[in-house]
Amino acid sequence: MNLCTAITLAIVANTALAQFNYSFPDCANGPLKSTVVCDTSKSPATRARALIQMFTDEELTQNTDNVSPGVPRLGVPSYQWWSEALHGVAGSPGVSFASSGEFSSATSFPQPIVLGAAFDLDLIKAVATVISTEARAFNNAGRAGLDFFTPNINPFKDPRWGRGQETPGEDAFHVSQYVFNLIEGLQGGIDPRPYFKVAADCKHFAAYDLDSWEGIDRFHFDAKVTLQDLSEYYLPPFQSCVRDAKVASVMCSYNSVNGIPSCANSYLLQNILRDFWGFDDDRWVVSDCDAINNIFSTHNFTSTFAEAVADALKAGTDVDCGTTYSTNLPAALNQSLITRDDLERALTRQYTSLMRLGYFDPPSSQPFRQLAWTDVNTPDAQALAHRAAIEGLVLLKNDGFLPISPKGKKLAIIGPYLNATTNMQGNYFGTAPFIVTPFQGAVDAGFQVQSSPGTTINGTSDAGFQAAITIAQAADVIVFAGGIDNTIERESRDRLTVAWTGNQLDLIQRLSALGKPVIVVQFGGGQLDDTVLLSNDAVRAIIWAGYPGQSGGTAIFDIITGIASPAGRLTTTQYPADFIDQVGMTDMSLRPSSVNPGRTYKWYSGTPVLEFGHGLHFTSFRFSWQKQPATQYNIQRLIRAARSDDTLDLATFDTFQVRIQNTGKRTSDYVALMFLSGNGGPTPRPNKSLVSFARAHDIKAGSSTSLDLKVTLGSVARADERGDLWLFSGSYRLILDTGDGVLTHNFVLTGTDTRIVQWPQDPSA
């Protein structure tokens, strides 16, 4: 079994992991005192270089793995680079939870797929700030490292991908905005000086969205991707993370890209990552776990392990999550496949990052040392987790039945998720301080509740149906809590279907025949084809809950009873079930063809069951332009107006002011999604593209608010076949909200077509 897979299975099972013995170097009394290494007046890079030059060749090679033994003779302790914090401090080799008492839990937020559905960037930054605070507290107690292998920012292109739940969704622009704010919260700012709060890691670089499907796994897969698709879809989130948010580290992926394993791919790791995006030498690249081993063992890219580690190290992979480096780098050095300079460069990057975390500072000046157990699971953190769950829930269907009062009502809650606990956390989770199940949420809301699972998620028998039907017959309202099996939708496994399982649909159908109103609460990171439920008149409402975290049960019934109003939006397309028969997961192309219906809302040529951005409310709104937009823009004037210090694709195209009036009877948030469609450019364009979004909070009945929706030149531009971004003249349309929109505006882009970004070409191609 692959190392990462084995550890991940342990994480998923929430198996206790042994505590790593974290300690800081002693700069007051240890061997390094009075050296440049401990001189905080020097730059982190200068201090790190001085340290690495003291290492012997053997010490260099042995400190290239995620478990670094350190250098005892220099007072450099061992260090575990692999900690996790995807949606809260999480069980992992570098994190340990106490069995009880202090540090026995950490705030468990909803999965990123739910956080993304909130379309609330302030929320994302706030969540990340809490996570980094709790992570530092854990580190101060010796229970976590300072480097966290999060976030997963591969766009969720195929609904079958088991790890799609770890991402914010399918749209590259949305993911880019999400990760920028997440990194700011995790690291304590954009490139904070002098100290990172924690070091984040953007993964998996690049074009990784297949784990194991139809006999093809991530360890063998070669993703064939055009430069146009790399530039326009697969890599923008990484550009935002690296170039704009200044993340501390990047993880290269298991798969190959166009024939070269990602962790040995100098085009990705040098030409794009470092040369094009400016990933400098105080930042480092880590392999996915055992991906270095796979260069030789599964991709057969080299003839020996020594060649594999040499290729990876020289391409720019600095840390091996695994042991392939430490085992084989000595041979590579002896065979002159690498030099000492190659090793020093990798180690200097690692230790420069540690310097920026305060690792080599005297105890009196180490940052964030005041954070302790009292800063974990605070009331504010718990309230934020609850708010995040509410904001991320999406109302898919409502015929006017919701919200309902619990007063005097008998409720039957049925389905395999009714008592879900850790299943509501998804994967890469830690021990939550509490988890409110859907059942408990119903009880706490004030309903008279009876419950029966009725069936398992993948059951083939109706043996439990009768018990569920019996309690449903005595109820006023039926809630069915079901959806996707989390043991199938996870790392190392992809789904083979996007349809509800037959037994769940059968039970819902039988419950529907009782003449009672049915509410379906749908769990799981990906979408299921809801066609049958949407057309079933007895199913009065459908709520997508995803993996809502520790306060999931409370949030669900806050929506059902109207304590809160829904405003979340789907971040993935809900495809018809036969989508899986139209294109294989291994097809990385985005645009429709004779063998591909197109990927995501941008290019899908079929009719979705529910589209990206779908989400209903308990109220109604009226929309208008606060300021009427221009009808014509000139390309050359736009470029001249850009500030000289702007990265051109981030320069402002225009800011569109939208006025939103709540014309209904309930206070509600509203998520404004602004799309752009147009006919400019020589290559087929997307159907439409998200170019800006914002969430307005607590718009009271009868009142109005306004939102400023900034659109950048990069959002208007499109990639050509070389990956270059161009502003193309032509006719365009702004569309507020989904479908045909609730507010539109036509404009013309005039002038000469102009390239605003020149994408690096692969020198080996």
Side-chain angles (χ1 to χ4, degrees):
M1 181 182 292
N2 181 274
L3 171 65
C4 190
T5 302
I7 294 294
T8 300
L9 291 175
I11 293 169
V12 170
N14 207 25
T15 303
L17 296 165
Q19 181 173 345
F20 191 85
N21 184 26
Y22 289 102
S23 60
F24 282 41
D26 185 354
C27 272
N29 302 299
L32 294 174
K33 69 176 181 179
S34 303
T35 68
V36 172
V37 177
C38 291
D39 185 352
T40 58
S41 70
K42 304 296 184 184
S43 72
T46 297
R47 297 168 66 194
R49 278 194 296 271
L51 173 67
I52 297 311
Q53 288 168 2
M54 299 179 190
F55 285 22
T56 65
D57 288 356
E58 181 181 5
E59 289 164 346
L60 287 173
T61 59
Q62 295 310 298
N63 280 279
T64 51
D65 296 339
N66 66 286
V67 181
S68 296
V71 182
R73 68 181 180 84
L74 296 176
V76 178
S78 59
Y79 185 75
Q80 169 60 273
W81 293 85
W82 182 4
S83 294
E84 297 280 359
L86 179 66
H87 51 115
V89 177
S92 49
V95 175
S96 65
F97 289 85
S99 58
S100 62
E102 295 185 357
F103 297 101
S104 58
S105 63
T107 307
S108 186
F109 292 96
Q111 269 285 49
I113 195 67
V114 179
L115 293 172
F119 285 94
D120 184 346
L121 297 178
D122 290 338
L123 172 72
I124 301 309
K125 190 183 301 181
V127 166
T129 300
V130 169
I131 292 172
S132 58
T133 294
E134 296 192 357
R136 269 288 184 168
F138 266 72
N139 175 260
N140 290 338
R143 291 188 169 275
L146 293 166
D147 304 275
F148 290 82
F149 290 179
T150 191
N152 180 345
I153 57 170
N154 300 109
F156 192 0
K157 176 194 89 244
D158 193 292
R160 291 163 286 192
W161 186 30
R163 300 188 72 176
Q165 60 171 295
E166 300 174 24
T167 78
E170 72 180 29
D171 182 77
F173 172 78
H174 173 226
V175 179
S176 298
Q177 301 304 302
Y178 174 101
V179 68
F180 181 88
N181 286 272
L182 189 86
I183 298 303
E184 185 173 2
L186 288 174
Q187 296 192 164
I190 301 303
D191 200 19
R193 301 287 175 165
Y195 294 115
F196 289 128
K197 192 176 181 186
V198 300
D201 177 79
C202 284
K203 61 187 185 184
H204 311 80
F205 191 61
Y208 168 60
D209 60 1
L210 177 149
D211 272 63
S212 182
W213 174 81
E214 298 285 10
I216 302 163
D217 65 44
R218 56 188 176 169
F219 311 120
H220 297 79
F221 180 53
D222 180 18
K224 301 293 186 183
V225 190
T226 67
L227 290 180
Q228 184 177 41
D229 289 348
L230 276 177
S231 168
E232 193 164 24
Y233 186 73
Y234 290 104
L235 296 191
F238 289 94
Q239 176 173 277
S240 177
C241 182
V242 171
R243 186 194 68 181
D244 305 331
K246 310 296 185 185
V247 75
S249 67
V250 167
M251 178 182 286
C252 53
S253 56
Y254 287 116
N255 57 288
S256 290
V257 177
N258 297 326
I260 303 175
S262 295
C263 294
N265 196 317
S266 60
Y267 172 60
L268 293 175
L269 300 181
Q270 187 62 48
N271 298 103
I272 296 177
L273 185 66
R274 294 197 181 273
D275 298 342
F276 186 50
W277 291 338
F279 193 66
D280 53 36
D281 278 342
D282 62 357
R283 306 169 202 276
W284 43 280
V285 174
V286 60
S287 74
D288 208 338
C289 299
D290 269 3
I292 304 298
N293 179 291
N294 297 144
I295 293 170
F296 168 69
S297 65
T298 61
H299 290 294
N300 300 313
F301 186 70
T302 61
S303 300
T304 65
F305 275 118
E307 292 173 349
V309 297
D311 282 1
L313 187 71
K314 290 191 294 184
T317 302
D318 305 304
V319 184
D320 172 21
C321 184
T323 58
T324 308
Y325 263 3
S326 62
T327 303
N328 295 282
L329 280 172
L333 186 62
N334 290 336
Q335 296 171 34
S336 299
L337 298 173
I338 58 169
T339 65
R340 180 180 170 95
D341 285 346
D342 295 324
L343 290 166
E344 286 192 2
R345 181 177 59 248
L347 269 292
T348 299
R349 289 169 177 168
Q350 296 175 46
Y351 279 91
T352 300
S353 179
L354 285 177
M355 297 287 179
R356 290 194 59 189
L357 287 157
Y359 190 67
F360 284 85
D361 287 11
S364 60
S365 61
Q366 284 169 5
F368 309 107
R369 293 299 292 176
Q370 78 281 7
L371 296 174
W373 169 243
T374 52
D375 299 292
V376 180
N377 298 328
T378 65
D380 285 348
Q382 305 315 310
L384 186 64
H386 178 216
R387 172 189 155 198
I390 289 173
E391 287 198 21
L393 296 182
V394 183
L395 185 61
L396 303 183
K397 175 184 179 181
N398 186 27
D399 66 359
F401 180 67
L402 294 183
I404 57 173
S405 169
K407 187 175 181 180
K409 285 194 175 65
K410 297 178 181 178
L411 183 142
I413 184 165
I414 293 163
Y417 268 89
L418 77 89
N419 284 312
T421 54
T422 55
N423 275 354
M424 287 204 300
Q425 296 178 274
N427 63 2
Y428 282 95
F429 58 82
T431 304
F434 58 83
I435 300 178
V436 181
T437 68
F439 172 83
Q440 189 60 48
V443 172
D444 293 344
F447 289 100
Q448 301 171 42
V449 185
Q450 287 191 297
S451 67
S452 171
T455 184
T456 60
I457 291 176
N458 294 305
T460 57
S461 167
D462 63 359
F465 281 19
Q466 189 54 54
I469 291 169
T470 298
I471 66 164
Q473 287 171 328
D476 300 310
V477 179
I478 302 166
V479 171
F480 183 87
I484 298 172
D485 187 347
N486 186 234
T487 67
I488 293 175
E489 185 183 50
R490 70 178 190 196
E491 182 170 358
S492 79
R493 295 187 69 174
D494 298 315
R495 289 191 288 149
L496 299 178
T497 178
V498 294
W500 280 83
T501 56
N503 57 303
Q504 291 188 81
L505 281 184
D506 287 348
L507 180 53
I508 294 171
Q509 187 62 40
R510 295 201 197 182
L511 295 171
S512 300
L514 299 178
K516 308 291 178 72
V518 178
I519 303 166
V520 173
V521 181
Q522 179 179 322
F523 292 87
Q527 286 297 303
L528 296 171
D529 181 351
D530 284 334
T531 299
V532 173
L533 303 182
L534 292 167
S535 62
N536 183 339
D537 290 341
V539 175
R540 308 291 298 275
I542 305 172
I543 298 170
W544 177 77
Y547 297 112
Q550 65 184 44
S551 294
T554 303
I556 289 164
F557 281 90
D558 282 350
I559 295 291
I560 287 174
T561 60
I563 290 175
S565 295
R569 304 297 193 107
L570 287 183
T571 64
T572 53
T573 301
Q574 188 178 115
Y575 295 97
D578 64 359
F579 175 83
I580 65 166
D581 301 319
Q582 299 170 24
V583 60
M585 283 191 70
T586 55
D587 187 340
M588 303 296 290
S589 60
L590 302 171
R591 290 158 178 80
S593 67
S594 60
V595 294
N596 187 337
R599 302 285 200 170
T600 79
Y601 77 95
K602 286 189 176 186
W603 293 282
Y604 181 52
S605 58
T607 302
V609 178
L610 294 171
E611 61 184 321
F612 172 93
H614 176 82
L616 305 177
H617 304 84
F618 287 161
T619 190
S620 56
F621 297 97
R622 182 179 296 132
F623 306 89
S624 60
W625 297 110
Q626 182 83 1
K627 175 185 175 183
Q628 189 64 31
T631 57
Q632 184 171 295
Y633 299 85
N634 178 268
I635 293 171
Q636 279 64 52
R637 287 199 196 102
L638 288 167
I639 292 173
R640 285 197 298 269
R643 291 182 355 195
S644 59
D645 60 344
D646 264 346
T647 304
L648 198 52
D649 59 291
L650 296 181
T652 300
F653 172 78
D654 203 349
T655 299
F656 300 93
Q657 298 174 313
V658 175
R659 188 154 193 82
I660 306 158
Q661 181 182 6
N662 185 341
T663 56
K665 298 180 179 180
R666 287 185 172 272
T667 298
S668 178
D669 289 3
Y670 177 78
V671 170
L673 304 176
M674 180 166 282
F675 297 92
L676 179 71
S677 65
N679 62 6
T683 60
R685 297 179 64 84
N687 301 319
K688 60 181 180 179
S689 299
L690 184 68
V691 293
S692 190
F693 63 88
R695 185 174 182 125
H697 293 280
D698 296 327
I699 311 172
K700 292 181 170 53
S703 69
S704 300
T705 192
S706 61
L707 287 175
D708 290 344
L709 297 172
K710 177 184 174 182
V711 177
T712 63
L713 295 184
S715 293
V716 177
R718 285 293 168 263
D720 66 12
E721 292 180 352
R722 291 171 54 87
D724 297 343
L725 281 185
W726 290 76
L727 289 174
F728 291 116
S729 59
S731 299
Y732 292 83
R733 191 178 205 204
L734 289 171
I735 306 164
L736 183 68
D737 220 315
T738 56
D740 294 330
V742 295
L743 190 64
T744 62
H745 175 71
N746 297 322
F747 67 89
V748 177
L749 201 54
T750 66
T752 305
D753 295 350
T754 303
R755 182 175 62 191
I756 63 169
V757 175
Q758 185 172 359
W759 189 257
Q761 302 300 293
D762 187 347
S764 66

